[in-house]
Amino acid sequence: EYEKRFLVTVIKDLLGMCEVKRGKDNKAVVASNIMYVVGQYPRFLRAHWRFLKTVVNKLFEFMHETHPGIQDMACDTFLKIAQKTRKKFVVCQTQEVVPFVEEILQTLPTIIMDLEPHQVQSFYESMGYLIGACENPQQRDTWIASLMDYPNQSWTAIVSEAPRDMNIMLQPETMKQVLAILKTNVRAATSLGHAYVSQLGKMFLDLLTVYSWYSKGISNVIATQGVQ
């Protein structure tokens, strides 16, 4: 009980300081302290839902903070919390209308809009842990479809445009996009486990086609320019 009161006091004071402190450096110091503390006490967060939700929403705010290191720490802390408290996100808590994971999915593009690709990939791994905790297969597949809709749109745009102009696939920006999408899928598959099969089914044939395109492209370059 004493530990509980102590944690509540510390985190509330830190959240309050984050609101009133001026200057990016000062806010960054307070933010890093918040994230360190909450990452150390998953059992406390599991036992106090409203506090857990408040902390996670604060992490989402930090994901828009461009001060060096804050976004990385926010994503790392979210991943740690997702691994330790996942079941709390997929059931409808008291006084809630929908499970929190559904709220996150509804605002996902806004949450990740300021993140770098490697941070987005970490976020998708975290979401995979949350969604994977759902024991209803139909609901889980619906949430997976919602989670992957954003990268799937980019993937569909690339593979539908490529047959009209194969040079698009060899442009550095396109290759960077393809790599980022595949890495995002790998991170989601890592945490979702077998449940990822519903997403894999949507991409599998396209993956074989893209592999074939790049294989032919590499062979053509070697044939015309030799091995560099």
Side-chain angles (χ1 to χ4, degrees):
E1 184 61 32
Y2 175 78
E3 183 183 53
K4 171 187 169 182
R5 289 201 307 272
F6 174 74
L7 278 172
V8 169
T9 301
V10 168
I11 297 174
K12 279 186 175 178
D13 285 350
L14 286 171
L15 289 171
M17 286 176 65
C18 198
E19 295 299 321
V20 301
K21 276 291 181 183
R22 295 292 176 262
K24 281 189 173 292
D25 288 344
N26 291 330
K27 282 182 174 288
V29 170
V30 177
S32 62
N33 275 281
I34 292 171
M35 290 185 280
Y36 175 78
V37 172
V38 299
Q40 301 306 306
Y41 295 94
R43 187 175 63 180
F44 172 80
L45 294 177
R46 282 197 300 269
H48 301 86
W49 166 248
R50 301 304 301 176
F51 218 73
L52 172 57
K53 186 175 182 180
T54 298
V55 163
V56 171
N57 280 324
K58 181 57 70 173
L59 290 178
F60 294 160
E61 288 182 28
F62 292 153
M63 289 179 189
H64 300 288
E65 176 55 62
T66 55
H67 192 282
I70 294 300
Q71 289 172 309
D72 279 329
M73 194 169 184
C75 292
D76 290 345
T77 305
F78 182 47
L79 177 58
K80 187 183 294 185
I81 289 175
Q83 290 171 324
K84 301 292 186 181
T85 66
R86 63 189 85 178
K87 290 185 178 180
K88 295 294 181 180
F89 288 77
V90 296
V91 295
C92 195
Q93 301 290 338
T94 305
Q95 297 182 330
E96 300 285 351
V97 179
V98 295
F100 189 33
V101 69
E102 204 159 303
E103 291 183 34
I104 298 173
L105 289 170
Q106 289 168 1
T107 57
L108 187 145
T110 302
I111 294 171
I112 66 174
M113 64 185 294
D114 294 322
L115 297 179
E116 295 296 321
H118 73 280
Q119 295 162 343
V120 171
Q121 290 148 24
S122 173
F123 187 90
Y124 269 74
E125 182 178 352
S126 301
M127 291 300 293
Y129 281 116
L130 301 185
I131 294 171
C134 177
E135 297 179 357
N136 181 320
Q138 289 77 26
Q139 181 63 78
R140 187 176 60 220
D141 286 349
T142 298
W143 284 341
I144 291 173
S146 180
L147 174 67
M148 303 309 297
D149 182 60
Y150 197 55
N152 282 351
Q153 288 181 32
S154 299
W155 175 259
T156 300
I158 291 170
V159 297
S160 60
E161 185 68 24
R164 290 192 282 271
D165 182 5
M166 286 303 300
N167 289 325
I168 289 175
M169 296 301 294
L170 302 178
Q171 293 175 0
E173 188 57 37
T174 302
M175 289 191 285
K176 194 182 298 183
Q177 277 185 284
V178 169
L179 186 60
I181 293 168
L182 292 178
K183 283 184 175 181
T184 298
N185 273 269
V186 168
R187 295 292 287 274
T190 299
S191 51
L192 281 167
H194 179 72
Y196 177 77
V197 71
S198 62
Q199 164 67 7
L200 180 61
K202 297 177 181 178
M203 292 187 69
F204 186 69
L205 292 179
D206 284 340
L207 280 169
L208 295 179
T209 301
V210 169
Y211 177 83
S212 174
W213 287 339
Y214 280 121
S215 180
K216 288 176 182 176
I218 293 169
S219 296
N220 289 340
V221 169
I222 293 174
T224 56
Q225 301 179 21
V227 178
Q228 298 295 314

